[in-house]
Amino acid sequence: MTTQYLLKDVAPLGGDRTDVLVAGGLVAAIGAGAGDAAENAPDDLHVIDATGMVLLPGLVDLHTHLREPGREDAETIVSGTRAAAVGGFTAVHAMANTTPTQDTAGVVEQVWRIGREAGWTDVHPVGAVSVGLEGQHLAELGAMADSAARVRVFSDDGKCVHDPVLMRRALEYTKAFDGVVAQHAQEPRLTEGAQMHEGVVSAEIGLAGWPAVAEEAIIARDVLLAEHVGARLHVCHLSTAGSVEIVRWAKSRGIDVTAEVTPHHLVLTDEEARGYDPVFKVNPPLRTQADVDAVREGLADGTIDIVATDHAPHTREDKDCEWAAAAFGMTGLETALSVVQQTMVDTGRMTWADVARVLSENPARIGRLDGQGRAIAVGEPANLVLVDPDARRVVVPEEQATASTNSPMRGRELPGRVVATFLRGRATVLDGVPQDDRSSTAGGTPRAAGRVTP
Amino acid sequence: MRHLLSTTDLDRAAAVRVLDTAAQMAATQGRQIKKLPTLRGRTVVNLFFEDSTRTRISFETAAKRLSADVINFSAKGSSLSKGESLKDTVLTLQAMGADAIVVRHQASGAPHTLAHAGWTDAAVVNAGDGMHQHPTQALLDAFTIRRHLTGSATNPDGVGNDLAGLHVAVVGDVLHSRVARSNVDLLHTLGARVTLVAPPTLLPVGVGPWPAEVSYRLDDVLAQGPDAVMMLRVQRERMSTAGGGFFPSPLEYTRLYGLDARRLAGLPEHSIVLHPGPMNRGLEISADAADSVRSVIVEQVANGVAVRMAVLYLLLSGDGDTGVPPATGAIPALTSTPATPATAPARSTTPEVSAR
Ligand SMILES: [Zn+2]
């Protein structure tokens, strides 16, 4: 018997209220008749009063660091995808900077399998562009593309593919299997020893600067390379006003480029560095208010295609120290949707349909995922997230599902709460709680238990 | 105030108070028995993650002259690889009952982290962190400038004065210099006008809002007749990185930004020359300039002890009893009181400024 879910009085994409029935892994019925369809069905029926709530397609993250294999002390595939489900995600792309690197078919298949067995979200491994992320030789991109993991996104994220010849070859080569190179745009020589955004704050507090031009110069080069070889390019975590301008220009020329912004670059600035709390140390660094304004505008007008978390869990040892010694990165899976609501929806810049576009449809399209980022329509796979936009919550990292506590949102009040997440009709999250007990849910195969502590 | 992490922690009244306290401390240092009982039974730890014999000895001397117990803890080379070592070291010192931790660290913000991460109850004194701050250096510079340029026959140390109306040129590697950052803030707070002089490569992007003027030409600034010229140390390795050097050659640097006999001769008679040391003679300062009568560089070292005594006293005792034998008067706490207005940067030259 599979549980059916009847979402009563829900607003798909924030539009008109209706009833939605989730059954048999699909969106089974929508509208006044949805309840009847449920009553006629023999299975368990779970009715959710969704008055005031918004239904979105399950979120798709194009940029997640799950840390397994190699740094299971910071996160595992199970704990990271469980956190993703709590955050409303039904698919994540696991970045390649693991140990060993995700640069062979064997490693990407291992990550893909563990993700599938865990069952919290779909896990799509990102393949490394270069062997060992070393920027020297192309990794076996074709083998990863043809593997069971069907890799389509390739990135040396954490490092920039700075050699222009290697970047050109990667762009060209991935055309063979409709792949995309996702570039971490950081000119290495301009950022040696860099600690934070180079500007007024870095000058005052004496931390080595990471200039905006180091990002913009690489993006400018890459869009021209992509145009030259007719390949598609994805720009990871774009963070500066200048980068928005360059991508806008490239799109106006018809260059096949997509761009992402992280939740933290939508809301935080380099002013946060003044207290030397390494939780705000991230790469690319937090920029200025003018940059924050520009990326918000770029996201609203479609210059920036997606929001991706760059969820980067780190152990306490890697953050509980002086700034220069701390690791770069912050968690984000469980706060991303709230930050987007706060900065884009509650400010009137975007609708919930736009949110579905930037957090589900577009990332699914860039990653060439078939069953994700779809319309909410009868017969579609039931990858869905139910959101209560009127809820308010204060972020307590220790209570999050991720195994790490380096959330920059600690102590901040955020709007919105994920009430339920459905992965192909099965509730991975109900009433905001991850559904660790799988025996009563669909599929029947017990998954690995994961980290069940709250 | 619990800690001294940055000169921005000090408003005008608090800064003048430190300098006045230092003047009292300096007065005791001319006596036969230099030691005061003030910090008897208290423990001061010198925690140095970076070599600096001169600064460490200065703090050590200051603490000992106040009768504190001193522990020198050199942790060089054991830090940046893994930040946890800073935390562990500090937890150890906390367990040992340190009352004050004087910390020198190559990472900007390390003293701030140490003071605010909840690792220790001790008062933290920043003895230089990365490219950020070196507040006691700026205080001793201000003390030296005040003494020379505002002192009078009856008030040789310029007690009670600030530095209003004085013009100070700070010359050299501003970009990497914690001394420059500390001085710009403190000199501004004390009412002085500051001009930074450096090649553009050695000025930070983002220098705009600093309360200082910026010039790329030393001769132009010297022509304005600054009251004090502070030469910053330039590290020779700054020019050696291929393609990433900050200036073409030491020779060119010296030609454009070095203080030599010719430039010295063009300064007004009362102008003084400072250098935080150690000097690169022949690079940023010639031997003529370093050893001239205008140079107060050796005196800066002596004043460093008095200023550090004042800081340790105000942070650890601050109860008005310096232990200084009578005739010098009580010393108020480091935190400012409403008696003096906290903001007074742009006021005109005070009548006490007679030595100019
Ligand atoms: Zn990255």
Side-chain angles (χ1 to χ4, degrees):
Chain A
M1 287 226 301
T2 46
T3 309
Q4 303 177 82
Y5 298 92
L6 179 62
L7 314 180
K8 288 195 71 75
D9 204 24
V10 73
L13 305 184
D16 294 336
R17 292 179 185 182
T18 184
D19 296 346
V20 174
L21 180 70
V22 173
L26 303 175
V27 176
I30 297 179
D36 302 336
E39 279 162 33
N40 297 336
D43 297 323
D44 284 356
L45 180 65
H46 189 118
V47 179
I48 298 174
D49 176 7
T51 306
M53 297 187 196
V54 171
L55 189 64
L56 301 174
L59 309 184
V60 177
D61 194 10
L62 203 66
H63 195 145
T64 318
H65 296 276
L66 293 179
R67 300 289 186 230
E68 184 181 352
R71 284 308 300 267
E72 291 84 352
D73 53 341
E75 194 84 280
T76 64
I77 294 169
V78 171
S79 68
T81 53
R82 187 166 171 271
V86 170
F89 291 88
T90 51
V92 299
H93 288 75
M95 272 299 172
N97 61 339
T98 49
T99 310
T101 308
Q102 288 169 206
D103 59 2
T104 63
V107 179
V108 294
E109 286 192 349
Q110 180 197 357
V111 170
W112 175 75
R113 286 217 172 81
I114 295 172
R116 197 172 61 156
E117 283 161 19
W120 289 106
T121 69
D122 290 345
V123 173
H124 299 281
V126 172
V129 170
S130 67
V131 175
L133 308 180
E134 282 177 356
Q136 301 288 327
H137 308 284
L138 282 182
E140 291 190 349
L141 310 183
M144 291 187 274
D146 291 341
S147 73
R150 293 185 67 253
V151 176
R152 290 295 176 271
V153 181
F154 297 88
S155 181
D156 277 358
D157 182 62
K159 291 185 179 171
C160 180
V161 183
H162 63 92
D163 180 338
V165 176
L166 185 69
M167 186 62 183
R168 175 197 171 144
R169 300 284 182 250
L171 287 166
E172 288 179 308
Y173 198 77
T174 48
K175 291 200 293 181
F177 34 85
D178 197 20
V180 64
V181 177
Q183 175 72 293
H184 170 115
Q186 176 180 8
E187 211 296 314
R189 284 280 282 144
L190 284 172
T191 52
E192 280 172 18
Q195 297 291 323
M196 66 171 295
H197 174 68
E198 183 169 20
V200 168
V201 180
S202 67
E204 188 180 328
I205 72 174
L207 288 174
W210 198 131
V213 61
E215 172 175 311
E216 293 154 4
I218 292 291
I219 296 175
R221 180 200 75 178
D222 286 353
V223 296
L224 294 171
L225 280 175
E227 178 179 45
H228 181 61
V229 302
R232 69 187 177 109
L233 165 73
H234 177 72
V235 180
C236 294
H237 44 53
L238 173 160
S239 67
T240 78
S243 298
V244 177
E245 278 305 306
I246 293 164
V247 171
R248 193 175 278 135
W249 172 84
K251 286 187 167 184
S252 76
R253 269 172 81 96
I255 296 170
D256 195 358
V257 59
T258 53
E260 86 192 21
V261 64
T262 69
H264 44 273
H265 289 109
L266 284 172
V267 70
L268 302 172
T269 70
D270 61 345
E271 292 289 332
E272 302 289 352
R274 287 188 186 278
Y276 296 102
D277 181 349
V279 80
F280 297 109
K281 180 175 176 179
V282 66
N283 194 11
L286 301 176
R287 304 288 187 181
T288 67
Q289 188 61 48
D291 295 305
V292 168
D293 294 342
V295 295
R296 288 181 182 185
E297 189 187 324
L299 182 62
D301 72 18
T303 302
I304 297 172
D305 300 83
I306 68 169
V307 174
T309 65
D310 197 4
H311 176 81
H314 286 292
T315 59
R316 269 189 58 204
E317 305 88 89
D318 286 338
K319 284 292 192 181
D320 194 10
C321 55
E322 64 271 30
W323 180 286
F328 288 98
M330 38 183 65
T331 62
L333 285 168
E334 290 161 85
T335 48
L337 183 57
S338 288
V339 169
V340 171
Q341 181 188 336
Q342 181 184 48
T343 57
M344 304 304 293
V345 180
D346 292 353
T347 56
R349 286 188 177 85
M350 290 190 359
T351 64
W352 284 105
D354 293 326
V355 174
R357 176 171 54 80
V358 303
L359 270 167
S360 181
E361 293 160 23
N362 284 347
R365 179 173 51 79
I366 294 165
R368 298 297 192 250
L369 309 183
D370 294 333
Q372 299 278 351
R374 314 272 302 190
I376 299 175
V378 174
E380 290 287 348
N383 295 314
L384 300 166
V385 55
L386 182 64
V387 185
D388 178 1
D390 297 325
R392 290 282 181 282
R393 66 205 172 95
V394 174
V395 177
V396 181
E398 289 73 15
E399 293 174 359
Q400 291 183 321
T402 171
S404 289
T405 54
N406 56 308
S407 169
M409 309 308 289
R410 175 188 293 276
R412 289 172 206 245
E413 190 184 85
L414 291 178
R417 170 176 173 264
V418 169
V419 175
T421 308
F422 300 94
L423 179 62
R424 282 182 287 282
R426 179 168 50 78
T428 53
V429 175
L430 269 185
D431 202 17
V433 178
Q435 301 297 291
D436 291 281
D437 177 13
R438 249 71 45 68
S439 55
S440 64
T441 58
T445 31
R447 295 167 296 180
R451 217 179 66 109
V452 232
T453 43
Chain B
M1 185 162 65
R2 294 252 301 100
H3 310 291
L4 181 62
L5 304 176
S6 163
T7 50
T8 57
D9 296 344
L10 302 168
D11 59 18
R12 178 190 170 281
V16 169
R17 197 165 287 123
V18 176
L19 301 185
D20 290 352
T21 308
Q24 293 191 37
M25 296 296 178
T28 67
Q29 298 308 296
R31 299 178 189 173
Q32 220 159 25
I33 297 169
K34 297 183 168 67
K35 214 162 171 171
L36 305 174
T38 322
L39 297 184
R40 183 167 292 149
R42 314 297 293 276
T43 301
V44 174
V45 178
N46 287 319
L47 175 57
F48 277 57
F49 288 85
E50 205 180 56
D51 267 342
S52 176
T53 311
R54 14 193 327 143
T55 304
R56 184 182 56 72
I57 288 176
S58 182
F59 271 106
E60 182 175 352
T61 307
K64 284 184 170 166
R65 294 213 175 142
L66 292 169
S67 303
D69 297 324
V70 178
I71 299 171
N72 287 315
F73 198 109
S74 173
K76 188 175 168 275
S78 66
S79 63
L80 273 182
S81 54
K82 199 70 183 170
E84 194 72 0
S85 70
L86 175 65
K87 179 177 177 180
D88 286 339
T89 306
V90 171
L91 292 176
T92 304
L93 300 177
Q94 167 72 9
M96 288 161 59
D99 295 296
I101 299 176
V102 175
V103 60
R104 161 70 66 103
H105 202 288
Q106 59 272 48
S108 297
H112 187 282
T113 301
L114 203 156
H116 296 291
W119 300 337
T120 177
D121 304 328
V124 177
V125 179
N126 182 359
D129 63 327
M131 306 187 295
H132 179 220
Q133 284 268 334
H134 190 0
T136 57
Q137 177 69 44
L139 285 163
L140 77 87
D141 292 337
F143 182 86
T144 307
I145 293 169
R146 185 176 79 160
R147 196 167 166 275
H148 279 270
L149 299 177
T150 83
S152 63
T154 52
N155 181 9
D157 287 324
V159 169
N161 297 346
D162 60 16
L163 304 178
L166 296 177
H167 182 201
V168 181
V170 178
V171 185
D173 183 359
V174 175
L175 176 63
H176 300 96
S177 176
R178 51 198 173 209
V179 175
R181 283 174 178 79
S182 296
N183 263 296
V184 166
D185 293 329
L186 184 65
L187 291 169
H188 171 73
T189 298
L190 289 170
R193 170 184 160 218
V194 181
T195 305
L196 298 169
V197 189
T201 48
L202 289 175
L203 287 163
V205 166
V207 75
W210 289 19
E213 293 156 45
V214 171
S215 172
Y216 306 142
R217 304 181 67 87
L218 178 59
D219 286 318
D220 292 0
V221 175
L222 296 184
Q224 298 171 23
D227 303 293
V229 180
M230 185 182 299
M231 304 305 295
L232 300 173
R233 177 179 165 80
V234 172
Q235 291 179 330
R236 284 175 193 274
E237 59 266 29
R238 296 283 183 228
M239 65 114 218
S240 59
T241 338
F246 290 89
F247 47 88
S249 72
L251 208 63
E252 174 154 320
Y253 184 87
T254 304
R255 206 156 48 225
L256 295 173
Y257 298 98
L259 189 65
D260 55 13
R262 178 184 62 82
R263 288 182 169 130
L264 195 68
L267 284 173
E269 194 135 342
H270 70 272
S271 301
I272 58 171
V273 174
L274 299 97
H275 192 298
M279 291 181 278
N280 290 303
R281 286 172 183 255
L283 182 52
E284 72 266 6
I285 190 164
S286 73
D288 302 324
D291 301 332
S292 82
V293 289
R294 296 156 176 286
S295 165
V296 296
I297 296 167
V298 175
E299 192 194 318
Q300 284 174 272
V301 177
N303 293 341
V305 174
V307 161
R308 287 165 181 136
M309 287 173 76
V311 167
L312 289 172
Y313 159 71
L314 290 168
L315 287 175
L316 287 182
S317 185
D319 57 2
D321 176 16
T322 55
V324 176
T328 30
I331 295 167
L334 187 51
T335 40
S336 75
T337 58
T340 328
T343 52
R347 89 185 149 79
S348 57
T349 313
T350 53
E352 298 91 70
V353 182
S354 54
R356 298 179 59 199

